[in-house]
Amino acid sequence: MSGGLHDLTLTELAAGLSAKKFSSREIAEALLVRIARADGKLHAFNEVYVEEARAMADAADTARAGGFPLGPLHGLPMAYKDLCDIKGRVGTGGSKMWEKRVATETSATVERLTAAGMFPLGKLHMVEFAFGGWGTNPLMGAPVNPWDLETHRTAGGSSSGTGVAVAARLAPAGIGSDTGGSVRIPCAFNGLVGLKVTFGRISLHGTMLLSWTLDSIGPMARSVEDCALLLNALAAPDPRDPTTLDQPLEDFTLATKGGSIEGLRIAVPDSKQLPDFMHPDVTRAWQTAARTFESLGATVEAVRLPSWFFDMAQAAGTISTSEMFSLHRDWIEDMSKPIGPGVRGRALLGRHFLPGAYAEELRRMKQRRAEFAQWMKPYDALLVPTNAVPAIPLSEVEETSPIPGYLTRPGNYLGLCALAMPSGFSGGLPVGIQIVGKPYAEADVLKLGKAFQDATDFHRRAPDLSSLGL
Protein backbone atom coordinates (compact mmCIF):
# COMPACT_ATOMS: atom_id res chain seq x y z
CA MET A 1 0.00 0.00 0.00
CA SER A 2 1.59 3.28 -1.07
CA GLY A 3 0.54 6.88 -0.77
CA GLY A 4 -0.46 6.72 2.88
CA LEU A 5 0.89 8.64 5.87
CA HIS A 6 3.67 6.06 6.23
CA ASP A 7 5.10 7.14 2.85
CA LEU A 8 5.59 10.76 3.88
CA THR A 9 8.90 12.16 5.08
CA LEU A 10 9.18 14.07 8.36
CA THR A 11 9.18 17.33 6.41
CA GLU A 12 6.01 16.33 4.56
CA LEU A 13 4.33 15.15 7.76
CA ALA A 14 5.18 18.47 9.45
CA ALA A 15 3.61 20.39 6.55
CA GLY A 16 0.49 18.23 6.73
CA LEU A 17 0.12 18.79 10.47
CA SER A 18 0.46 22.55 10.00
CA ALA A 19 -2.19 22.48 7.27
CA LYS A 20 -4.49 20.37 9.52
CA LYS A 21 -4.65 17.61 6.88
CA PHE A 22 -4.23 14.97 9.58
CA SER A 23 -3.35 14.66 13.25
CA SER A 24 -0.36 13.30 15.15
CA ARG A 25 -2.62 10.53 16.47
CA GLU A 26 -3.45 9.50 12.89
CA ILE A 27 0.28 9.36 12.08
CA ALA A 28 0.90 7.23 15.17
CA GLU A 29 -1.93 4.81 14.34
CA ALA A 30 -0.85 4.42 10.70
CA LEU A 31 2.68 3.50 11.75
CA LEU A 32 1.68 1.28 14.69
CA VAL A 33 -0.61 -0.74 12.39
CA ARG A 34 2.23 -1.10 9.90
CA ILE A 35 4.70 -2.17 12.62
CA ALA A 36 2.21 -4.74 13.93
CA ARG A 37 1.80 -6.22 10.43
CA ALA A 38 5.38 -6.18 9.20
CA ASP A 39 7.77 -6.37 12.12
CA GLY A 40 7.19 -10.04 12.85
CA LYS A 41 9.01 -10.63 9.58
CA LEU A 42 11.39 -7.64 9.53
CA HIS A 43 12.52 -7.75 13.18
CA ALA A 44 13.45 -4.05 13.30
CA PHE A 45 11.98 -3.21 16.71
CA ASN A 46 13.26 -4.45 20.03
CA GLU A 47 10.32 -2.84 21.84
CA VAL A 48 7.31 -0.88 20.51
CA TYR A 49 6.00 1.92 22.73
CA VAL A 50 2.35 1.60 21.68
CA GLU A 51 0.63 3.36 24.58
CA GLU A 52 3.33 6.01 24.96
CA ALA A 53 3.21 6.86 21.25
CA ARG A 54 -0.57 7.29 21.37
CA ALA A 55 -0.54 9.36 24.55
CA MET A 56 2.23 11.67 23.37
CA ALA A 57 0.67 12.03 19.91
CA ASP A 58 -2.62 13.03 21.59
CA ALA A 59 -0.75 15.54 23.75
CA ALA A 60 0.86 17.02 20.63
CA ASP A 61 -2.56 17.39 19.00
CA THR A 62 -3.87 19.15 22.11
CA ALA A 63 -0.92 21.55 22.07
CA ARG A 64 -1.46 22.26 18.37
CA ALA A 65 -5.18 22.90 18.91
CA GLY A 66 -4.23 25.44 21.59
CA GLY A 67 -2.72 27.65 18.91
CA PHE A 68 0.66 28.13 20.57
CA PRO A 69 3.76 28.27 18.36
CA LEU A 70 5.30 24.81 18.03
CA GLY A 71 8.64 23.68 16.63
CA PRO A 72 8.93 21.91 13.25
CA LEU A 73 9.34 18.45 14.83
CA HIS A 74 6.40 18.76 17.21
CA GLY A 75 4.00 15.83 16.98
CA LEU A 76 6.22 13.76 14.69
CA PRO A 77 7.35 10.15 15.33
CA MET A 78 10.87 8.93 16.07
CA ALA A 79 12.46 5.52 16.64
CA TYR A 80 15.71 5.04 18.57
CA LYS A 81 18.63 2.67 18.15
CA ASP A 82 18.80 0.68 21.38
CA LEU A 83 21.95 2.38 22.64
CA CYS A 84 20.12 5.63 23.36
CA ASP A 85 19.08 5.05 26.96
CA ILE A 86 15.71 6.13 28.37
CA LYS A 87 15.56 6.22 32.17
CA GLY A 88 13.42 3.43 33.60
CA ARG A 89 13.25 1.57 30.27
CA VAL A 90 15.08 -1.50 29.06
CA GLY A 91 18.22 -0.67 27.08
CA THR A 92 20.02 -3.68 25.61
CA GLY A 93 22.80 -2.18 23.49
CA GLY A 94 22.02 -5.12 21.18
CA SER A 95 23.19 -7.63 23.77
CA LYS A 96 21.26 -10.68 25.00
CA MET A 97 23.21 -10.26 28.21
CA TRP A 98 21.40 -6.95 28.81
CA GLU A 99 17.89 -7.88 27.68
CA LYS A 100 16.56 -6.95 31.14
CA ARG A 101 18.94 -4.05 31.84
CA VAL A 102 17.00 -0.96 32.97
CA ALA A 103 18.59 2.39 32.10
CA THR A 104 19.32 4.82 34.94
CA GLU A 105 19.52 7.98 32.80
CA THR A 106 18.15 9.32 29.53
CA SER A 107 20.39 9.99 26.55
CA ALA A 108 20.83 13.57 25.37
CA THR A 109 19.47 12.46 21.97
CA VAL A 110 16.14 11.27 23.41
CA GLU A 111 15.97 14.33 25.69
CA ARG A 112 16.41 16.79 22.84
CA LEU A 113 14.01 15.14 20.39
CA THR A 114 11.37 14.68 23.08
CA ALA A 115 11.81 18.32 24.08
CA ALA A 116 11.28 19.21 20.40
CA GLY A 117 7.88 17.48 20.66
CA MET A 118 8.60 14.14 18.97
CA PHE A 119 6.84 11.01 20.21
CA PRO A 120 8.67 7.65 20.44
CA LEU A 121 7.63 4.61 18.41
CA GLY A 122 10.10 2.36 20.19
CA LYS A 123 13.62 0.98 20.39
CA LEU A 124 15.38 -0.62 17.43
CA HIS A 125 17.56 -3.71 17.12
CA MET A 126 21.28 -3.34 16.48
CA VAL A 127 24.53 -5.29 16.35
CA GLU A 128 25.79 -6.31 19.80
CA PHE A 129 27.63 -3.39 21.47
CA ALA A 130 27.35 -1.60 18.05
CA PHE A 131 30.41 -3.61 17.03
CA GLY A 132 29.89 -4.75 13.43
CA GLY A 133 29.12 -3.48 9.95
CA TRP A 134 27.05 -6.27 8.38
CA GLY A 135 24.05 -6.07 10.73
CA THR A 136 24.26 -9.58 12.18
CA ASN A 137 23.12 -10.50 15.68
CA PRO A 138 22.98 -14.26 16.30
CA LEU A 139 21.51 -14.04 19.82
CA MET A 140 18.95 -11.22 19.49
CA GLY A 141 18.19 -11.87 15.81
CA ALA A 142 19.30 -9.92 12.74
CA PRO A 143 16.81 -7.50 11.15
CA VAL A 144 15.71 -8.46 7.63
CA ASN A 145 16.61 -6.19 4.73
CA PRO A 146 13.15 -5.26 3.34
CA TRP A 147 14.39 -5.07 -0.27
CA ASP A 148 14.43 -8.89 -0.46
CA LEU A 149 11.80 -10.76 1.53
CA GLU A 150 12.76 -14.12 -0.02
CA THR A 151 16.40 -14.24 1.10
CA HIS A 152 17.48 -12.93 4.51
CA ARG A 153 20.00 -10.27 3.48
CA THR A 154 22.21 -8.01 5.54
CA ALA A 155 20.62 -4.77 6.71
CA GLY A 156 23.98 -3.18 7.47
CA GLY A 157 25.33 -2.44 10.91
CA SER A 158 25.45 -1.56 13.49
CA SER A 159 22.23 0.51 13.10
CA SER A 160 20.49 -2.42 11.42
CA GLY A 161 17.03 -2.00 12.95
CA THR A 162 17.01 1.70 12.13
CA GLY A 163 17.86 1.02 8.49
CA VAL A 164 15.09 -1.56 8.17
CA ALA A 165 12.41 0.43 10.04
CA VAL A 166 12.94 3.58 7.97
CA ALA A 167 13.24 1.78 4.62
CA ALA A 168 10.12 -0.32 5.28
CA ARG A 169 8.15 2.83 6.20
CA LEU A 170 7.61 1.65 9.79
CA ALA A 171 9.06 5.02 10.84
CA PRO A 172 9.81 8.13 8.78
CA ALA A 173 13.18 8.53 10.49
CA GLY A 174 15.33 6.94 13.15
CA ILE A 175 18.50 7.44 15.13
CA GLY A 176 21.68 5.56 14.34
CA SER A 177 25.26 5.83 15.53
CA ASP A 178 28.45 5.84 13.48
CA THR A 179 31.86 4.73 14.80
CA GLY A 180 33.17 3.24 11.55
CA GLY A 181 30.19 3.59 9.23
CA SER A 182 27.19 2.41 11.26
CA VAL A 183 24.87 5.17 10.01
CA ARG A 184 26.14 5.13 6.44
CA ILE A 185 26.39 1.36 5.80
CA PRO A 186 22.72 0.60 6.64
CA CYS A 187 21.71 3.67 4.60
CA ALA A 188 23.51 2.21 1.57
CA PHE A 189 22.01 -1.26 2.05
CA ASN A 190 18.48 0.10 2.58
CA GLY A 191 18.31 3.08 0.20
CA LEU A 192 18.26 5.84 2.85
CA VAL A 193 19.73 9.26 3.53
CA GLY A 194 21.86 9.44 6.69
CA LEU A 195 24.28 11.86 8.25
CA LYS A 196 27.54 10.95 9.92
CA VAL A 197 28.21 14.12 11.90
CA THR A 198 31.54 15.53 13.01
CA PHE A 199 32.68 14.04 16.32
CA GLY A 200 31.45 16.40 19.06
CA ARG A 201 28.46 17.71 17.07
CA ILE A 202 25.86 15.69 19.02
CA SER A 203 26.16 14.88 22.72
CA LEU A 204 26.91 11.26 23.62
CA HIS A 205 25.59 11.67 27.18
CA GLY A 206 23.50 8.64 28.12
CA THR A 207 24.52 6.76 24.95
CA MET A 208 26.19 3.35 25.27
CA LEU A 209 29.72 3.85 24.03
CA LEU A 210 31.71 1.66 21.68
CA SER A 211 34.63 4.05 21.14
CA TRP A 212 34.91 7.31 23.06
CA THR A 213 37.28 8.61 20.37
CA LEU A 214 35.23 7.84 17.25
CA ASP A 215 31.52 7.46 18.20
CA SER A 216 28.89 9.80 16.77
CA ILE A 217 25.07 9.83 16.79
CA GLY A 218 23.32 10.58 13.50
CA PRO A 219 19.89 10.85 11.87
CA MET A 220 18.73 8.29 9.30
CA ALA A 221 15.79 9.31 7.13
CA ARG A 222 14.40 9.37 3.61
CA SER A 223 15.31 12.92 2.63
CA VAL A 224 18.14 15.40 3.06
CA GLU A 225 15.69 17.93 4.54
CA ASP A 226 14.76 15.48 7.31
CA CYS A 227 18.41 14.98 8.27
CA ALA A 228 18.86 18.75 8.51
CA LEU A 229 15.70 19.16 10.62
CA LEU A 230 16.86 16.51 13.07
CA LEU A 231 20.38 17.90 13.18
CA ASN A 232 18.98 21.32 14.13
CA ALA A 233 17.41 19.73 17.20
CA LEU A 234 20.38 17.50 18.08
CA ALA A 235 23.47 19.65 17.44
CA ALA A 236 24.08 21.71 20.55
CA PRO A 237 26.59 22.17 23.35
CA ASP A 238 26.02 19.87 26.33
CA PRO A 239 28.14 20.41 29.47
CA ARG A 240 27.77 16.68 30.23
CA ASP A 241 29.77 15.97 27.06
CA PRO A 242 32.61 18.51 26.78
CA THR A 243 33.44 17.45 23.19
CA THR A 244 30.28 19.36 22.13
CA LEU A 245 31.32 22.72 23.54
CA ASP A 246 33.48 24.02 20.68
CA GLN A 247 31.05 23.61 17.80
CA PRO A 248 29.77 26.47 15.64
CA LEU A 249 26.01 26.96 15.95
CA GLU A 250 23.98 27.22 12.77
CA ASP A 251 20.63 26.53 11.14
CA PHE A 252 21.21 23.45 8.98
CA THR A 253 17.85 23.69 7.23
CA LEU A 254 19.14 26.75 5.35
CA ALA A 255 21.44 24.39 3.43
CA THR A 256 18.47 22.38 2.17
CA LYS A 257 16.46 25.24 0.65
CA GLY A 258 17.86 24.41 -2.77
CA GLY A 259 19.88 26.83 -4.83
CA SER A 260 22.85 26.52 -7.12
CA ILE A 261 25.89 24.39 -6.30
CA GLU A 262 27.82 26.05 -9.11
CA GLY A 263 31.45 26.53 -8.20
CA LEU A 264 31.47 24.00 -5.37
CA ARG A 265 34.45 21.71 -5.85
CA ILE A 266 34.03 17.96 -5.48
CA ALA A 267 37.03 15.63 -5.43
CA VAL A 268 36.41 12.24 -7.05
CA PRO A 269 39.20 9.71 -6.57
CA ASP A 270 40.66 7.57 -9.32
CA SER A 271 38.63 4.33 -9.40
CA LYS A 272 41.94 2.41 -9.43
CA GLN A 273 42.40 3.52 -5.80
CA LEU A 274 39.21 1.77 -4.76
CA PRO A 275 39.48 -1.78 -3.37
CA ASP A 276 39.43 -4.76 -5.71
CA PHE A 277 36.23 -6.08 -4.09
CA MET A 278 34.11 -3.22 -5.51
CA HIS A 279 30.91 -4.43 -7.16
CA PRO A 280 30.77 -2.98 -10.72
CA ASP A 281 27.20 -1.68 -10.20
CA VAL A 282 28.33 0.29 -7.13
CA THR A 283 31.23 1.79 -9.09
CA ARG A 284 28.94 2.66 -12.01
CA ALA A 285 26.35 4.35 -9.76
CA TRP A 286 29.09 6.39 -8.08
CA GLN A 287 30.56 7.51 -11.42
CA THR A 288 27.10 8.42 -12.68
CA ALA A 289 26.55 10.46 -9.49
CA ALA A 290 29.77 12.36 -10.20
CA ARG A 291 28.46 13.22 -13.67
CA THR A 292 25.15 14.32 -12.13
CA PHE A 293 26.98 16.74 -9.84
CA GLU A 294 28.91 18.04 -12.84
CA SER A 295 25.69 18.61 -14.77
CA LEU A 296 24.36 20.61 -11.81
CA GLY A 297 27.26 23.04 -12.04
CA ALA A 298 29.67 21.66 -9.46
CA THR A 299 33.34 21.45 -10.40
CA VAL A 300 34.15 17.74 -10.30
CA GLU A 301 37.88 17.06 -10.15
CA ALA A 302 39.54 13.70 -10.68
CA VAL A 303 42.08 13.30 -7.87
CA ARG A 304 44.40 10.82 -6.27
CA LEU A 305 43.75 10.37 -2.58
CA PRO A 306 46.76 10.26 -0.25
CA SER A 307 48.29 6.79 -0.65
CA TRP A 308 47.44 5.96 2.96
CA PHE A 309 43.76 6.99 2.81
CA PHE A 310 42.18 3.54 2.79
CA ASP A 311 44.78 2.17 5.22
CA MET A 312 42.86 4.27 7.75
CA ALA A 313 40.13 1.63 7.79
CA GLN A 314 42.50 -0.69 9.63
CA ALA A 315 43.84 2.11 11.83
CA ALA A 316 40.30 3.09 12.87
CA GLY A 317 39.65 -0.57 13.65
CA THR A 318 42.65 -0.68 16.00
CA ILE A 319 41.29 2.30 17.96
CA SER A 320 37.67 1.14 18.14
CA THR A 321 38.66 -2.44 19.03
CA SER A 322 41.05 -1.26 21.76
CA GLU A 323 38.42 1.02 23.26
CA MET A 324 35.61 -1.52 22.91
CA PHE A 325 37.73 -4.16 24.68
CA SER A 326 38.56 -1.69 27.44
CA LEU A 327 34.87 -0.85 27.99
CA HIS A 328 33.48 -4.39 27.79
CA ARG A 329 36.43 -6.56 28.85
CA ASP A 330 34.75 -8.03 31.95
CA TRP A 331 32.01 -9.78 29.98
CA ILE A 332 33.89 -10.31 26.72
CA GLU A 333 36.38 -12.50 28.62
CA ASP A 334 33.64 -14.22 30.64
CA MET A 335 32.69 -17.17 28.44
CA SER A 336 29.53 -17.80 30.49
CA LYS A 337 28.02 -14.52 29.19
CA PRO A 338 25.74 -14.81 26.12
CA ILE A 339 27.74 -12.93 23.48
CA GLY A 340 27.83 -13.80 19.77
CA PRO A 341 31.04 -15.51 18.63
CA GLY A 342 31.73 -12.96 15.87
CA VAL A 343 31.59 -9.95 18.18
CA ARG A 344 33.46 -11.73 20.97
CA GLY A 345 36.18 -12.93 18.58
CA ARG A 346 36.77 -9.44 17.15
CA ALA A 347 36.68 -7.84 20.60
CA LEU A 348 39.27 -10.31 21.90
CA LEU A 349 41.70 -9.05 19.26
CA GLY A 350 42.04 -6.07 21.59
CA ARG A 351 44.01 -8.34 23.93
CA HIS A 352 46.69 -8.98 21.33
CA PHE A 353 47.70 -5.54 20.09
CA LEU A 354 51.35 -4.82 20.75
CA PRO A 355 52.03 -2.69 23.82
CA GLY A 356 51.72 0.94 22.80
CA ALA A 357 49.87 0.17 19.53
CA TYR A 358 46.77 2.05 20.67
CA ALA A 359 48.71 5.09 21.86
CA GLU A 360 50.76 5.08 18.66
CA GLU A 361 47.57 4.98 16.59
CA LEU A 362 46.15 8.01 18.43
CA ARG A 363 49.39 9.91 17.78
CA ARG A 364 49.32 8.99 14.10
CA MET A 365 45.64 9.89 13.85
CA LYS A 366 46.35 13.46 14.91
CA GLN A 367 49.12 13.68 12.32
CA ARG A 368 46.95 12.19 9.53
CA ARG A 369 44.12 14.58 10.33
CA ALA A 370 46.44 17.55 9.89
CA GLU A 371 47.81 16.12 6.62
CA PHE A 372 44.34 15.42 5.25
CA ALA A 373 43.09 18.89 6.20
CA GLN A 374 45.84 20.27 3.95
CA TRP A 375 44.97 17.84 1.14
CA MET A 376 41.24 18.69 1.39
CA LYS A 377 41.72 22.48 1.46
CA PRO A 378 40.91 23.14 -2.22
CA TYR A 379 37.72 21.02 -2.14
CA ASP A 380 34.26 21.38 -0.62
CA ALA A 381 33.59 17.63 -0.59
CA LEU A 382 34.94 14.22 -1.49
CA LEU A 383 32.64 11.81 -3.33
CA VAL A 384 33.12 8.08 -2.73
CA PRO A 385 30.84 5.02 -2.70
CA THR A 386 29.43 4.14 0.72
CA ASN A 387 29.70 0.37 0.58
CA ALA A 388 31.62 -1.69 -1.94
CA VAL A 389 28.78 -4.18 -2.46
CA PRO A 390 24.98 -4.34 -2.28
CA ALA A 391 23.41 -6.28 0.62
CA ILE A 392 24.54 -9.91 0.69
CA PRO A 393 22.71 -12.97 2.06
CA LEU A 394 23.19 -13.31 5.81
CA SER A 395 24.42 -16.86 5.23
CA GLU A 396 27.41 -15.50 3.25
CA VAL A 397 28.63 -13.05 5.89
CA GLU A 398 32.26 -13.42 6.92
CA GLU A 399 32.45 -11.55 10.23
CA THR A 400 36.11 -10.63 9.85
CA SER A 401 35.67 -9.28 6.31
CA PRO A 402 37.06 -5.77 5.75
CA ILE A 403 34.28 -5.00 3.24
CA PRO A 404 31.53 -3.23 5.21
CA GLY A 405 33.60 -0.48 6.82
CA TYR A 406 36.39 -0.16 4.28
CA LEU A 407 35.06 2.97 2.57
CA THR A 408 33.46 4.54 5.65
CA ARG A 409 35.99 4.15 8.48
CA PRO A 410 38.48 6.69 7.08
CA GLY A 411 35.83 9.38 7.66
CA ASN A 412 35.69 8.59 11.39
CA TYR A 413 39.46 8.34 11.70
CA LEU A 414 40.00 11.69 9.96
CA GLY A 415 37.28 13.48 11.94
CA LEU A 416 35.13 14.28 8.89
CA CYS A 417 31.38 14.51 8.36
CA ALA A 418 29.56 12.66 5.58
CA LEU A 419 26.10 12.40 4.06
CA ALA A 420 25.13 8.94 2.78
CA MET A 421 22.61 8.86 -0.06
CA PRO A 422 21.03 6.26 -2.34
CA SER A 423 22.55 6.45 -5.81
CA GLY A 424 21.12 3.51 -7.74
CA PHE A 425 20.28 -0.18 -7.70
CA SER A 426 21.95 -3.51 -8.36
CA GLY A 427 19.61 -6.41 -9.06
CA GLY A 428 16.82 -4.60 -7.21
CA LEU A 429 19.01 -3.81 -4.19
CA PRO A 430 20.00 -0.22 -3.30
CA VAL A 431 23.56 1.08 -3.54
CA GLY A 432 24.85 4.39 -2.26
CA ILE A 433 27.33 7.24 -2.29
CA GLN A 434 28.75 9.34 0.53
CA ILE A 435 29.41 13.06 0.21
CA VAL A 436 32.30 13.55 2.63
CA GLY A 437 32.94 17.00 4.09
CA LYS A 438 35.46 18.77 6.29
CA PRO A 439 35.01 18.87 10.07
CA TYR A 440 31.86 20.85 10.97
CA ALA A 441 30.98 21.27 7.26
CA GLU A 442 27.60 19.51 7.57
CA ALA A 443 25.94 22.45 5.79
CA ASP A 444 28.14 21.88 2.72
CA VAL A 445 27.34 18.18 2.39
CA LEU A 446 23.64 18.83 3.01
CA LYS A 447 23.59 21.48 0.26
CA LEU A 448 25.25 19.10 -2.20
CA GLY A 449 22.99 16.27 -1.10
CA LYS A 450 19.86 18.35 -1.64
CA ALA A 451 20.98 19.19 -5.20
CA PHE A 452 21.60 15.49 -5.95
CA GLN A 453 18.27 14.51 -4.39
CA ASP A 454 16.39 17.08 -6.50
CA ALA A 455 18.03 15.70 -9.66
CA THR A 456 17.26 12.02 -8.93
CA ASP A 457 14.43 9.93 -7.47
CA PHE A 458 16.35 7.19 -5.64
CA HIS A 459 15.20 8.44 -2.22
CA ARG A 460 11.57 7.99 -3.34
CA ARG A 461 11.88 4.28 -4.15
CA ALA A 462 10.35 1.90 -1.62
CA PRO A 463 10.70 -1.85 -1.11
CA ASP A 464 7.69 -3.99 -2.08
CA LEU A 465 6.08 -5.29 1.08
CA SER A 466 2.82 -6.47 -0.54
CA SER A 467 3.56 -10.05 0.54
CA LEU A 468 3.22 -8.82 4.14
CA GLY A 469 -0.24 -7.43 3.42
CA LEU A 470 1.01 -3.86 3.08
Side-chain angles (χ1 to χ4, degrees):
M1 185 173 67
S2 64
L5 291 178
H6 61 272
D7 262 330
L8 301 180
T9 65
L10 282 180
T11 305
E12 291 163 345
L13 289 169
L17 285 174
S18 294
K20 298 186 167 58
K21 288 185 181 172
F22 42 77
S23 66
S24 292
R25 178 62 182 259
E26 287 172 300
I27 297 170
E29 290 302 335
L31 294 172
L32 290 171
V33 164
R34 208 169 160 82
I35 292 166
R37 283 191 189 159
D39 202 52
K41 166 73 174 176
L42 298 176
H43 196 62
F45 281 85
N46 190 29
E47 189 175 1
V48 183
Y49 297 153
V50 178
E51 296 312 316
E52 296 87 340
R54 287 176 174 149
M56 289 172 73
D58 286 345
D61 288 330
T62 303
R64 184 166 281 101
F68 284 90
L70 300 173
L73 292 172
H74 200 97
L76 297 178
M78 177 48 65
Y80 296 98
K81 182 175 182 175
D82 200 11
L83 48 55
C84 293
D85 273 350
I86 302 174
K87 187 176 180 179
R89 306 268 164 175
V90 170
T92 70
S95 174
K96 182 85 173 164
M97 185 180 74
W98 285 333
E99 62 184 342
K100 293 188 170 69
R101 171 192 168 272
V102 177
T104 55
E105 59 185 3
T106 297
S107 74
T109 294
V110 176
E111 280 178 353
R112 293 194 66 82
L113 295 182
T114 306
M118 300 193 89
F119 63 85
L121 290 168
K123 287 289 204 76
L124 297 159
H125 279 293
M126 54 181 280
V127 175
E128 288 169 283
F129 311 115
F131 196 47
W134 288 117
T136 56
N137 192 323
L139 302 186
M140 298 281 275
V144 173
N145 189 311
W147 289 91
D148 184 355
L149 297 180
E150 298 294 311
T151 303
H152 190 166
R153 289 182 181 272
T154 51
S158 62
S159 312
S160 47
T162 312
V164 170
V166 180
R169 277 62 178 161
L170 309 185
I175 291 297
S177 66
D178 195 307
T179 305
S182 293
V183 159
R184 291 163 288 162
I185 297 164
C187 282
F189 280 161
N190 291 283
L192 304 179
V193 181
L195 190 61
K196 182 261 177 239
V197 301
T198 309
F199 179 80
R201 225 355 150 182
I202 298 173
S203 172
L204 293 173
H205 170 77
T207 302
M208 282 192 206
L209 292 178
L210 167 65
S211 162
W212 59 86
T213 301
L214 301 174
D215 284 355
S216 60
I217 285 289
M220 295 168 62
R222 295 197 301 268
S223 78
V224 177
E225 294 92 328
D226 287 8
C227 286
L229 258 186
L230 290 167
L231 187 59
N232 265 11
L234 290 168
D238 180 354
R240 298 166 303 183
D241 179 354
T243 66
T244 62
L245 300 180
D246 293 335
Q247 64 179 299
L249 300 178
E250 51 196 306
D251 178 356
F252 299 100
T253 60
L254 296 178
T256 63
K257 300 295 186 207
S260 171
I261 59 166
E262 205 158 330
L264 289 179
R265 296 177 72 184
I266 302 175
V268 178
D270 182 340
S271 61
K272 293 187 186 68
Q273 286 194 281
L274 296 180
D276 55 11
F277 46 73
M278 291 295 303
H279 191 289
D281 291 348
V282 176
T283 305
R284 264 193 296 274
W286 161 64
Q287 290 169 333
T288 303
R291 288 193 290 275
T292 301
F293 278 114
E294 202 161 33
S295 73
L296 294 170
T299 303
V300 174
E301 297 187 31
V303 298
R304 282 197 66 77
L305 287 165
S307 58
W308 44 259
F309 185 84
F310 289 117
D311 296 344
M312 299 305 96
Q314 191 169 355
T318 300
I319 292 171
S320 58
T321 303
S322 296
E323 294 184 353
M324 189 274 185
F325 184 65
S326 164
L327 286 167
H328 300 298
R329 177 174 194 155
D330 287 354
W331 29 91
I332 291 292
E333 293 189 317
D334 182 347
M335 294 302 163
S336 71
K337 299 287 189 210
I339 294 170
V343 163
R344 176 174 264 137
R346 280 179 289 117
L348 284 171
L349 295 174
R351 268 204 304 213
H352 305 301
F353 291 131
L354 291 171
Y358 168 70
E360 173 62 22
E361 211 48 82
L362 289 180
R363 185 188 67 78
R364 189 183 294 124
M365 182 174 77
K366 195 170 183 183
Q367 190 181 325
R368 292 294 194 216
R369 286 183 175 189
E371 285 175 45
F372 193 74
Q374 279 300 113
W375 184 91
M376 190 83 176
K377 249 185 183 165
Y379 309 110
D380 296 291
L382 168 68
L383 185 70
V384 283
T386 304
N387 209 343
V389 297
I392 64 170
L394 206 67
S395 58
E396 292 176 16
V397 167
E398 169 49 62
E399 287 287 357
T400 56
S401 164
I403 290 174
Y406 194 86
L407 300 169
T408 51
R409 278 182 180 178
N412 302 81
Y413 185 90
L414 293 168
L416 309 172
C417 65
L419 183 70
M421 296 193 70
S423 62
F425 288 86
S426 173
L429 299 169
V431 299
I433 51 168
Q434 47 177 335
I435 304 164
V436 182
K438 295 167 184 168
Y440 297 115
E442 283 85 356
D444 290 346
V445 299
L446 288 165
K447 185 175 178 66
L448 287 164
K450 169 65 172 162
F452 183 76
Q453 177 179 285
D454 287 349
T456 57
D457 73 340
F458 303 121
H459 69 295
R460 287 281 177 206
R461 311 270 187 96
D464 179 3
L465 302 184
S466 54
S467 66
L468 300 181
L470 294 171

